[in-house]
Amino acid sequence: MVSMKNNLVSFLAFLVIFLFISFCEAKEFVVDGKANSWKIPSSPDEFNKWAEKTRFQIGDYLVLKYDPNSDSVLQVNEEDYKNCNKANPLKSYQDGETKILLNKSCPFFFISGANGHCEKGQKLEVKVLSPQHSSKAHSPALAPTPATHTPVEILPPAPAPAPASGSSGMKFGIIGGFIVMLGSFIVLA
């Protein structure tokens, strides 16, 4: 009986560690979800619309893919972002597949290093959530609903959001599998 309790405690400890690691897992997000996407967009706010659909958290990576012979990525402050000023970048990347660690909770600003590209919309603002928001991390941002005079309690539930573009992982499938395994283990014990 003591051996079975030790096995159960060990299994539960493993499960807790696994769940913690899986929820803390960093993600890589390819800008606009496709290869060679860091170029002049078809609409000026295309990159920011993409970024607003994704919840970034500390430890995630932003991946920008482009032709290094004709473009680059500049990380800039907010003022330089607004004015497309390339003179004083915080960081400059020219490797063609730039992978940037989002290492703090704040907005990050990026513009193209190619002449005239930023002015045509090749710029991106990424907002990284604080650790308090990690339970909703990596899910698409939900648009606010318009105010109505109907009490919230009687409104039907909202549909589930679509998966985030460019994110990876199936945490809930894996977690569900472990819960089934745990249930089987307890029943067999």
Side-chain angles (χ1 to χ4, degrees):
M1 183 70 175
V2 173
S3 175
M4 195 170 1
K5 276 188 177 180
N6 287 340
N7 287 341
L8 181 60
V9 169
S10 296
F11 180 78
L12 290 174
F14 171 78
L15 182 63
V16 168
I17 291 169
F18 175 79
L19 291 174
F20 177 76
I21 290 171
S22 70
F23 281 110
C24 295
E25 178 183 315
K27 303 282 185 208
E28 285 187 11
F29 294 93
V30 176
V31 170
D32 214 16
K34 51 191 167 198
N36 297 320
S37 62
W38 185 244
K39 56 186 173 187
I40 297 173
S42 57
S43 68
D45 56 352
E46 180 178 328
F47 292 123
N48 288 337
K49 283 184 178 180
W50 169 81
E52 289 170 359
K53 293 178 186 175
T54 306
R55 301 226 179 186
F56 301 95
Q57 71 181 57
I58 296 170
D60 287 343
Y61 289 90
L62 188 64
V63 180
L64 296 101
K65 298 180 180 186
Y66 53 94
D67 180 357
N69 297 317
S70 62
D71 208 345
S72 63
V73 178
L74 304 178
Q75 184 174 344
V76 295
N77 64 33
E78 185 174 8
E79 188 66 27
D80 289 344
Y81 170 83
K82 289 178 182 176
N83 297 315
C84 291
N85 181 5
K86 301 181 300 184
N88 298 308
L90 302 172
K91 294 182 183 174
S92 178
Y93 306 94
Q94 302 170 6
D95 59 358
E97 188 165 328
T98 299
K99 184 176 176 180
I100 300 168
L101 173 63
L102 303 173
N103 60 356
K104 56 186 172 179
S105 176
C106 67
F108 287 81
F109 301 95
F110 304 96
I111 62 174
S112 170
N115 288 330
H117 285 209
C118 178
E119 292 81 0
K120 294 178 182 172
Q122 191 177 347
K123 59 188 196 173
L124 171 66
E125 178 182 356
V126 171
K127 295 176 183 169
V128 178
L129 297 175
S130 65
Q132 297 93 305
H133 294 95
S134 65
S135 66
K136 295 181 180 180
H138 304 300
S139 65
L142 299 176
T145 56
T148 64
H149 297 292
T150 308
V152 174
E153 294 81 37
I154 64 171
L155 292 175
S165 172
S167 67
S168 62
M170 293 180 53
K171 284 186 221 168
F172 294 107
I174 293 170
I175 293 169
F178 274 105
I179 291 172
V180 169
M181 283 178 33
L182 175 62
S184 300
F185 182 77
I186 291 172
V187 168
L188 293 174

PDB file of all heavy atoms in Angstrom, residues 63-66 68 94-99:
ATOM      1  N   VAL A  63       9.692  36.064 -35.205  1.00  0.00           N
ATOM      2  CA  VAL A  63      10.551  35.687 -36.328  1.00  0.00           C
ATOM      3  C   VAL A  63      10.133  36.497 -37.545  1.00  0.00           C
ATOM      4  O   VAL A  63       8.974  36.467 -37.945  1.00  0.00           O
ATOM      5  CB  VAL A  63      10.456  34.167 -36.624  1.00  0.00           C
ATOM      6  CG1 VAL A  63      11.356  33.801 -37.795  1.00  0.00           C
ATOM      7  CG2 VAL A  63      10.810  33.362 -35.383  1.00  0.00           C
ATOM      8  N   LEU A  64      11.079  37.223 -38.112  1.00  0.00           N
ATOM      9  CA  LEU A  64      10.835  38.027 -39.309  1.00  0.00           C
ATOM     10  C   LEU A  64      11.694  37.457 -40.436  1.00  0.00           C
ATOM     11  O   LEU A  64      12.907  37.336 -40.290  1.00  0.00           O
ATOM     12  CB  LEU A  64      11.191  39.499 -39.062  1.00  0.00           C
ATOM     13  CG  LEU A  64      10.344  40.187 -38.000  1.00  0.00           C
ATOM     14  CD1 LEU A  64      11.086  40.287 -36.695  1.00  0.00           C
ATOM     15  CD2 LEU A  64       9.913  41.540 -38.466  1.00  0.00           C
ATOM     16  N   LYS A  65      11.064  37.115 -41.556  1.00  0.00           N
ATOM     17  CA  LYS A  65      11.765  36.528 -42.698  1.00  0.00           C
ATOM     18  C   LYS A  65      11.722  37.504 -43.872  1.00  0.00           C
ATOM     19  O   LYS A  65      10.656  38.019 -44.206  1.00  0.00           O
ATOM     20  CB  LYS A  65      11.125  35.199 -43.081  1.00  0.00           C
ATOM     21  CG  LYS A  65      11.219  34.163 -41.965  1.00  0.00           C
ATOM     22  CD  LYS A  65      10.588  32.854 -42.358  1.00  0.00           C
ATOM     23  CE  LYS A  65      10.700  31.843 -41.227  1.00  0.00           C
ATOM     24  NZ  LYS A  65      10.219  30.528 -41.622  1.00  0.00           N
ATOM     25  N   TYR A  66      12.885  37.728 -44.498  1.00  0.00           N
ATOM     26  CA  TYR A  66      12.991  38.730 -45.560  1.00  0.00           C
ATOM     27  C   TYR A  66      14.272  38.495 -46.351  1.00  0.00           C
ATOM     28  O   TYR A  66      15.135  37.699 -45.967  1.00  0.00           O
ATOM     29  CB  TYR A  66      12.990  40.132 -44.950  1.00  0.00           C
ATOM     30  CG  TYR A  66      14.041  40.321 -43.871  1.00  0.00           C
ATOM     31  CD1 TYR A  66      15.296  40.837 -44.164  1.00  0.00           C
ATOM     32  CD2 TYR A  66      13.782  39.945 -42.560  1.00  0.00           C
ATOM     33  CE1 TYR A  66      16.261  40.971 -43.187  1.00  0.00           C
ATOM     34  CE2 TYR A  66      14.738  40.083 -41.571  1.00  0.00           C
ATOM     35  CZ  TYR A  66      15.982  40.602 -41.885  1.00  0.00           C
ATOM     36  OH  TYR A  66      16.931  40.736 -40.908  1.00  0.00           O
ATOM     37  N   PRO A  68      17.775  39.525 -47.138  1.00  0.00           N
ATOM     38  CA  PRO A  68      18.777  40.364 -46.475  1.00  0.00           C
ATOM     39  C   PRO A  68      19.539  41.277 -47.439  1.00  0.00           C
ATOM     40  O   PRO A  68      20.196  42.229 -46.991  1.00  0.00           O
ATOM     41  CB  PRO A  68      19.712  39.354 -45.810  1.00  0.00           C
ATOM     42  CG  PRO A  68      19.561  38.120 -46.620  1.00  0.00           C
ATOM     43  CD  PRO A  68      18.136  38.110 -47.108  1.00  0.00           C
ATOM     44  N   GLN A  94      20.059  42.093 -39.926  1.00  0.00           N
ATOM     45  CA  GLN A  94      20.203  42.020 -41.372  1.00  0.00           C
ATOM     46  C   GLN A  94      20.440  40.597 -41.848  1.00  0.00           C
ATOM     47  O   GLN A  94      21.005  40.392 -42.914  1.00  0.00           O
ATOM     48  CB  GLN A  94      21.369  42.907 -41.820  1.00  0.00           C
ATOM     49  CG  GLN A  94      21.196  44.342 -41.421  1.00  0.00           C
ATOM     50  CD  GLN A  94      22.447  45.172 -41.659  1.00  0.00           C
ATOM     51  OE1 GLN A  94      23.426  44.713 -42.217  1.00  0.00           O
ATOM     52  NE2 GLN A  94      22.411  46.413 -41.229  1.00  0.00           N
ATOM     53  N   ASP A  95      20.012  39.605 -41.093  1.00  0.00           N
ATOM     54  CA  ASP A  95      20.346  38.210 -41.412  1.00  0.00           C
ATOM     55  C   ASP A  95      19.333  37.496 -42.302  1.00  0.00           C
ATOM     56  O   ASP A  95      19.587  36.376 -42.732  1.00  0.00           O
ATOM     57  CB  ASP A  95      20.562  37.414 -40.126  1.00  0.00           C
ATOM     58  CG  ASP A  95      19.343  37.400 -39.219  1.00  0.00           C
ATOM     59  OD1 ASP A  95      18.328  38.046 -39.558  1.00  0.00           O
ATOM     60  OD2 ASP A  95      19.403  36.756 -38.171  1.00  0.00           O
ATOM     61  N   GLY A  96      18.204  38.089 -42.576  1.00  0.00           N
ATOM     62  CA  GLY A  96      17.200  37.471 -43.454  1.00  0.00           C
ATOM     63  C   GLY A  96      16.183  36.615 -42.729  1.00  0.00           C
ATOM     64  O   GLY A  96      15.095  36.385 -43.231  1.00  0.00           O
ATOM     65  N   GLU A  97      16.537  36.122 -41.564  1.00  0.00           N
ATOM     66  CA  GLU A  97      15.592  35.387 -40.718  1.00  0.00           C
ATOM     67  C   GLU A  97      15.896  35.764 -39.281  1.00  0.00           C
ATOM     68  O   GLU A  97      16.602  35.069 -38.569  1.00  0.00           O
ATOM     69  CB  GLU A  97      15.674  33.880 -40.921  1.00  0.00           C
ATOM     70  CG  GLU A  97      14.557  33.156 -40.194  1.00  0.00           C
ATOM     71  CD  GLU A  97      14.369  31.719 -40.648  1.00  0.00           C
ATOM     72  OE1 GLU A  97      14.600  31.415 -41.816  1.00  0.00           O
ATOM     73  OE2 GLU A  97      13.961  30.909 -39.796  1.00  0.00           O
ATOM     74  N   THR A  98      15.346  36.888 -38.890  1.00  0.00           N
ATOM     75  CA  THR A  98      15.630  37.471 -37.588  1.00  0.00           C
ATOM     76  C   THR A  98      14.709  36.877 -36.530  1.00  0.00           C
ATOM     77  O   THR A  98      13.498  36.862 -36.688  1.00  0.00           O
ATOM     78  CB  THR A  98      15.453  39.003 -37.652  1.00  0.00           C
ATOM     79  OG1 THR A  98      16.372  39.530 -38.615  1.00  0.00           O
ATOM     80  CG2 THR A  98      15.688  39.640 -36.315  1.00  0.00           C
ATOM     81  N   LYS A  99      15.320  36.377 -35.465  1.00  0.00           N
ATOM     82  CA  LYS A  99      14.581  35.785 -34.351  1.00  0.00           C
ATOM     83  C   LYS A  99      14.849  36.655 -33.124  1.00  0.00           C
ATOM     84  O   LYS A  99      15.978  36.755 -32.658  1.00  0.00           O
ATOM     85  CB  LYS A  99      15.060  34.352 -34.120  1.00  0.00           C
ATOM     86  CG  LYS A  99      14.306  33.601 -33.070  1.00  0.00           C
ATOM     87  CD  LYS A  99      14.808  32.159 -33.013  1.00  0.00           C
ATOM     88  CE  LYS A  99      14.147  31.384 -31.919  1.00  0.00           C
ATOM     89  NZ  LYS A  99      14.633  29.995 -31.872  1.00  0.00           N
TER      90      LYS A  99
END
